[in-house]
Amino acid sequence: KAGVTQTPRYLIKTRGQQVTLSCSPISGHRSVSWYQQTPGQGLQFLFEYFSETQRNKGNFPGRFSGRQFSNSRSEMNVSTLELGDSALYLCASSKGGGMRNTEAFFGQGTRLTVV
Amino acid sequence: DQQVKQNSPSLSVQEGRISILNCDYTNSMFDYFLWYKKYPAEGPTFLISISSIKDKNEDGRFTVFLNKSAKHLSLHIVPSQPGDSAVYFCAASGKSGTYKYIFGTGTRLKVLA
């Protein structure tokens, strides 16, 4: 059974640019969540999608957006990149019903560097 | 406001001994807790979870204890092995059905051979 796949693994962008990250969840999983990991900050929740609907959003500016497609694949977009957006972006998938009382499986992440 | 706290950024333990990783939370609405392990350049891997209706859950060398009155949970690894060296995150979710986990900042465990 294939795991959660995130592409690309590494990305270097310039300040002011925009970026799109992709996540393919485990087959059969309908919930996809995105997290940002920076040193000393742990994993910060960005948003969660289920059946193409955003069910929850973390405390990030509107430059961070996402969407989910009918096949449960998800994309995350960051516009007008800032140096502080440099981080590891992690995607997690879980079974239907979201992440309550069930473990989430993470992808390897996309390492974004903004220069 | 850090609702889930891991106050020890790092921990070193001798191989074969017990590793105890601690986690405190402030939100009494949390009812499900998990531990994840993370190696460099990889995503977190699920280790073990516990529901608030229990105070202990065991899986092989890993045991999680939950003290609801103290809002504290701990992960015990016995015996510790060099391969356990990683960053450990605790996470919590709540009854409000917000479909997200709140993670701590992680504890880096180093098991010395």
Side-chain angles (χ1 to χ4, degrees), chain A residues 33-80:
Chain A
S33 297
W34 289 88
Y35 289 83
Q36 181 196 64
Q37 186 190 8
T38 53
Q41 292 296 315
L43 281 72
Q44 303 291 315
F45 174 77
L46 281 155
F47 27 66
E48 188 260 356
Y49 288 88
F50 180 79
S51 292
E52 303 179 65
T53 300
Q54 185 184 89
R55 292 195 297 190
N56 203 353
K57 191 176 189 301
N59 297 322
F60 279 81
R63 300 185 296 107
F64 292 81
S65 63
R67 59 177 175 169
Q68 186 180 35
F69 302 95
S70 58
N71 61 358
S72 294
R73 190 177 71 85
S74 177
E75 287 183 347
M76 190 192 99
N77 185 275
V78 187
S79 63
T80 319

Side-chain angles (χ1 to χ4, degrees), chain B residues 22-51:
Chain B
N22 295 303
C23 180
D24 296 295
Y25 61 96
T26 58
N27 192 335
S28 57
M29 298 299 288
F30 288 147
D31 63 351
Y32 191 63
F33 305 88
L34 310 91
W35 284 94
Y36 282 84
K37 177 171 73 173
K38 187 179 184 300
Y39 294 117
E42 293 184 14
T45 302
F46 170 75
L47 268 178
I48 191 168
S49 62
I50 187 167
S51 166

